[in-house]
Amino acid sequence: MSPSRPVVAIYPGSFDPITKGHEDLVRRTLRVTDRLVIAVSSTSTESKKHLFELEERLELIQKIFNKDKRVEVRRFDGLLVDFARDLGAQVVIRGLRAVSDFDYELQMAQMNQELGPEIETLFLVPDVEYSFLSASLVREVASLGGDVSRFVSAPVLTRLKQKLGQ
Ligand code: ADP
């Protein structure tokens, strides 16, 4: 890789909704890359039904990072390596919270290595404060009336409350 070529990373996920764990990873990524594209997956299966529509998920992420020109938010469907190639991204970012993430993440990284050998997966570890945090847990706790204000930013909290009628 030429030293003058900007390093572009892509961070794929469902972000339903974006949590402070995701935000922590974005900040860490920007310490080692020039640009970051947050790629919000538009696919939804019966087993992974979304609470937030794609447009809402995109809008919330945009709100949180709107002051940072290095961060871009895009919807994405299809093969990750194709999307990364189209964007000229060299790096895929994934988070490792606990050993339980490892098996699946390793399989995905190795499959992506087969499909796109020029693209590297970079695993980042969040602050310990967020190491147990997942968007699904936030959805579950919030839907039961629990306080999730430590785990999501203000725009997400507001939208969660509206959505859940609290
Ligand atoms: P979820 O938060 O429901 O696990 P996502 O599909 O939005 O799901 O996650 C996208 C990526 O972000 C995955 O690599 C996941 O491991 C990572 N991630 C999610 N939450 C955290 C967190 N609290 N700390 C570190 N990485 C995280």
Side-chain angles (χ1 to χ4, degrees), residues 57-69:
R57 288 182 275 138
L58 291 164
E59 189 193 318
L60 286 171
I61 302 172
Q62 253 144 12
K63 256 192 188 153
I64 291 167
F65 294 108
N66 72 348
K67 289 203 184 76
D68 198 328
K69 297 254 179 302

Side-chain angles (χ1 to χ4, degrees), residues 6 9 20 30-31 37 39 42 50 55 57 77 81 86 88 100 103 107 118 139 154-155 165:
K20 288 195 177 174
L30 291 170
R31 292 163 71 173
V37 178
S42 61
H50 291 131
E55 289 309 322
R57 288 182 275 138
D77 40 32
V81 291
D86 289 349
S100 50
D103 273 356
Q107 267 186 17
E118 77 281 19
R139 294 197 300 273

Side-chain angles (χ1 to χ4, degrees), residues 11-15 21-22 25 94-95 97 105 126 130 133-136:
Y11 180 21
S14 37
F15 304 98
H22 294 124
L25 244 64
R94 297 293 291 176
R97 286 163 285 199
E105 292 294 342
Y130 306 126
L133 183 58
S134 69
S136 55

